[in-house]
Amino acid sequence: MKTALSLVISYLSFCAFGIVICGFLYMVCEGLVTFVVGHPMSFFSLDFFKKGLVFSTPAVCVLAHIRLILKVLKINSSKKVRVSEVDRNLVIGLLVLMLSTSLSWFVLFPAVINFANAQHNSGIVKMNPVSTGYFRESDSGLVYYYTDVHDDGTADGIVFDTNKAESGNPDVVQFSNLTTASVSAYPYSDVLVKNAIQTPKGVSDVFTVYTTILRNARKSWNDGLPSWLVFSSFALVLVSMYGFQFSSSWRLINSVFIFIVAAFSIFLNYLYFVGKLPSFVMDLDYSVPVFVNSALLFVNLAMFVVFTAFGIVMCVYRRRKAKKAALVEGADAGYDDEVDAEEEGEDDSAFEGE
């Protein structure tokens, strides 16, 4: 009971703090998107914060599931835990993992999607007008300097063509009532902010994968229960990762391996949503029309079967090895106790003889 309560509290606290922190970070990022150099900085927005909570909830819950597996691994790796208690902890951990996964995928996630559907008009990022007195270069090599910005989004100023600077005949043209919307700045309001804090490609790729999956999750829920059940087949993959804690006798290797397998599984789902899986897999959507997104269901069930089989085999192997080691240690300890007793007996008899 103590172990189950510890796992539940650990899971809930991680979700709660993680979602709040990610919501705050999302709000700050959206503030940077709307920030314009030369204007006061204002990052706090309740709409953006709520949008951040919705955006980050699935990712935090998936990380909480992985952390739950690592928590069980840590408990069983402790020297204070007896060999006889390990099996009980494994069963309790698996039950808590299955319960938390079910609540997340069939209660929390649908509630978050419904909330997002109801709030689809709130938290929309609006591009703020640019400020005057700064040079802003576009991707085409044109440098704009705004001298006056109007309320309708247009501005007056001058533009300098850097492409002709090498030829010695640079063009400086004066303009008026020109729109300040810049394709080079998208999705930011100011190209100066974009150039200063441009997201590394690796990070942007991760967000692309995540937003693609989120978009399809929302679509699956809106399409009805059968579609959502197929999408939620990934929950089975999460549960089957429980067995990867037996991959190695080293806890660090097991932890790294679990994260690698989780990332691989998520990426496979992403490849399906963008239509980049092998054609023989994608064709299942047409050859097996009984299920919605049959190829996705096939991929997740295949991973579930393979991961579960691997986990069972490795679990049996590790448990047998651990019990055999415990028996050997117990036998050695018993032998040492007998030797100590004999030595003590010899000392006593010698003392009595004297």
Side-chain angles (χ1 to χ4, degrees):
M1 184 64 183
K2 182 180 179 181
T3 302
L5 185 61
S6 173
L7 293 175
V8 170
I9 293 176
S10 175
Y11 176 83
L12 294 177
S13 60
F14 183 88
C15 287
F17 285 105
I19 292 172
V20 171
I21 292 174
C22 289
F24 177 79
L25 292 176
Y26 184 93
M27 180 184 66
V28 173
C29 291
E30 291 285 30
L32 288 173
V33 169
T34 59
F35 174 61
V36 174
V37 176
H39 289 175
M41 299 179 66
S42 178
F43 293 118
F44 182 78
S45 170
L46 183 59
D47 288 335
F48 287 162
F49 181 71
K50 291 189 294 185
K51 188 177 178 182
L53 296 180
V54 172
F55 180 80
S56 60
T57 294
V60 173
C61 288
V62 170
L63 288 176
H65 295 162
I66 297 175
R67 185 176 182 272
L68 189 61
I69 300 174
L70 299 180
K71 180 77 173 179
V72 176
L73 176 60
K74 181 179 180 181
I75 292 175
N76 285 336
S77 300
S78 175
K79 295 181 179 180
K80 297 181 181 179
V81 178
R82 298 178 181 177
V83 177
S84 58
E85 297 176 347
V86 173
D87 293 334
R88 185 194 65 182
N89 292 338
L90 289 175
V91 174
I92 292 175
L94 181 59
L95 293 177
V96 173
L97 180 65
M98 294 173 63
L99 176 62
S100 62
T101 303
S102 300
L103 291 176
S104 297
W105 286 84
F106 296 105
V107 178
L108 181 59
F109 291 175
V112 167
I113 294 175
N114 288 333
F115 178 80
N117 291 336
Q119 302 289 325
H120 67 280
N121 288 327
S122 64
I124 297 177
V125 180
K126 297 181 180 179
M127 298 295 102
N128 291 328
V130 297
S131 58
T132 59
Y134 294 91
F135 291 96
R136 294 178 172 87
E137 183 176 3
S138 66
D139 292 338
S140 60
L142 299 178
V143 178
Y144 293 89
Y145 183 88
Y146 302 106
T147 57
D148 188 19
V149 178
H150 308 304
D151 295 336
D152 60 357
T154 62
D156 302 335
I158 57 175
V159 59
F160 174 74
D161 189 354
T162 59
N163 297 318
K164 296 184 178 181
E166 296 179 358
S167 63
N169 298 312
D171 286 344
V172 178
V173 180
Q174 187 174 3
F175 61 83
S176 61
N177 297 325
L178 181 69
T179 179
T180 59
S182 174
V183 177
S184 301
Y186 183 82
Y188 295 87
S189 294
D190 195 339
V191 68
L192 295 177
V193 177
K194 178 183 178 181
N195 294 336
I197 58 171
Q198 194 165 10
T199 306
K201 189 178 185 304
V203 177
S204 62
D205 290 342
V206 171
F207 273 96
T208 298
V209 172
Y210 181 61
T211 53
T212 300
I213 294 177
L214 279 188
R215 184 169 59 252
N216 284 274
R218 186 171 179 176
K219 181 179 181 301
S220 297
W221 174 254
N222 294 334
D223 287 344
L225 184 59
S227 179
W228 178 252
L229 289 176
V230 172
F231 178 84
S232 299
S233 59
F234 183 72
L236 296 174
V237 180
L238 285 176
V239 175
S240 66
M241 292 179 191
Y242 191 74
F244 282 100
Q245 61 180 295
F246 307 106
S247 302
S248 169
S249 57
W250 290 4
R251 196 175 80 188
L252 178 60
I253 294 180
N254 292 334
S255 302
V256 173
F257 197 42
I258 289 172
F259 277 105
I260 292 176
V261 172
F264 171 77
S265 305
I266 294 172
F267 188 66
L268 275 186
N269 278 250
Y270 165 76
L271 290 180
Y272 167 79
F273 292 128
V274 296
K276 292 185 178 180
L277 285 176
S279 58
F280 73 90
V281 177
M282 297 299 300
D283 290 343
L284 290 174
D285 285 342
Y286 307 100
S287 59
V288 189
V290 178
F291 300 103
V292 182
N293 299 332
S294 301
L296 178 63
L297 182 62
F298 170 79
V299 169
N300 286 333
L301 288 181
M303 287 192 291
F304 171 74
V305 172
V306 173
F307 294 171
T308 302
F310 176 83
I312 292 175
V313 171
M314 294 305 298
C315 177
V316 173
Y317 171 73
R318 295 293 177 193
R319 296 303 301 126
R320 286 182 177 178
K321 190 174 181 180
K323 289 180 180 179
K324 184 182 294 185
L327 290 176
V328 172
E329 291 179 0
D332 292 342
Y335 175 76
D336 292 341
D337 291 341
E338 292 177 359
V339 172
D340 292 341
E342 292 177 358
E343 292 178 351
E344 290 178 359
E346 292 175 358
D347 293 342
D348 291 342
S349 60
F351 180 77
E352 290 174 356
E354 294 178 357

